[in-house]
Amino acid sequence: MDPGREATVAEYGRACLQLKSWLANATPSDLKRKSNGTRWTNEELLFHMVFGYMIVRSLLPLVRVMSRLPRSWGRGFAAALNAGTGPFDWVNYWGSRAAATVYDRHRMGRKLEKTITVLAHRLERESPDSLARSMPFPTRWDPFFTADMTLADTYAYATKHFDFHAKQLSLRPPKF
């Protein structure tokens, strides 16, 4: 495996260990406490961090398809998504709140493990050509979406998202 893939998979493993540590060491009241700088509780924000990996699973086929279409189509698609940022933000916030009731402290660790396992296996099977495929992304949706992202960038995105939100938790640093 090449160094870029190894680094991405290693970061997946680190994120999984961090989540497990937070979940093992946080009390129910810690998880219900508001996070720093978001409207989510710590538990809701932890789920949102897991959701970043879940979203990558959906983005991978989209990048594969859009990368085969004319660039103007991809730019139009990204522009349309950027225009829908308001509804996206609403769904992103309320969706994470609602989903955290299903993927709560008892289930989100397993969900992250399963999702990361699938992503790591897919990443290992990607060819250099497939990892270089790219498409325009809606840059207003997330600070880590860039105007053009490769499949490799998309695999790496989830951990950037995870690490960004980890700084917003009002939990003690993970022990592992």
Side-chain angles (χ1 to χ4, degrees):
M1 192 180 333
D2 66 69
R5 290 182 218 224
E6 286 179 14
T8 298
V9 171
E11 290 295 297
Y12 287 176
R14 177 191 50 81
C16 201
L17 289 173
Q18 281 182 294
L19 179 71
K20 283 183 182 180
S21 177
W22 277 312
L23 293 172
N25 294 303
T27 66
S29 63
D30 289 336
L31 293 170
K32 289 185 187 321
R33 187 172 55 241
K34 285 289 182 194
S35 60
N36 297 316
T38 80
R39 296 182 298 161
W40 286 309
T41 65
N42 285 315
E43 187 170 25
E44 292 163 348
L45 183 55
L46 285 168
F47 168 76
H48 180 75
M49 292 160 62
V50 171
F51 187 62
Y53 291 92
M54 295 164 65
I55 258 323
V56 167
R57 286 187 69 183
S58 298
L59 289 173
L60 296 175
L62 181 65
V63 174
R64 285 186 185 94
V65 169
M66 294 299 289
S67 69
R68 287 174 166 76
L69 298 174
R71 284 314 263 190
S72 60
W73 291 22
R75 285 191 301 272
F77 181 66
L81 293 176
N82 272 331
T85 298
F88 166 80
D89 288 343
W90 187 88
V91 169
N92 188 37
Y93 172 71
W94 288 103
S96 288
R97 286 199 66 191
T101 65
V102 175
Y103 291 106
D104 62 5
R105 68 192 70 139
H106 305 292
R107 298 184 67 207
M108 73 174 77
R110 285 190 309 272
K111 183 63 176 174
L112 182 60
E113 277 182 23
K114 288 178 183 180
T115 303
I116 281 176
T117 298
V118 169
L119 288 174
H121 282 94
R122 286 184 183 172
L123 178 56
E124 289 170 4
R125 292 191 312 265
E126 298 284 0
S127 71
D129 287 343
S130 70
L131 288 172
R133 291 190 161 284
S134 68
M135 70 170 268
F137 266 70
T139 56
R140 292 180 56 202
W141 281 31
D142 190 279
F144 300 104
F145 284 173
T146 59
D148 192 73
M149 290 179 64
T150 65
L151 203 60
D153 296 333
T154 307
Y155 275 106
Y157 156 79
T159 303
K160 291 176 184 177
H161 177 264
F162 183 95
D163 290 344
F164 173 80
H165 286 300
K167 295 172 187 161
Q168 296 174 317
L169 292 166
S170 62
L171 299 172
R172 285 178 292 243
K175 303 174 204 173
F176 57 94

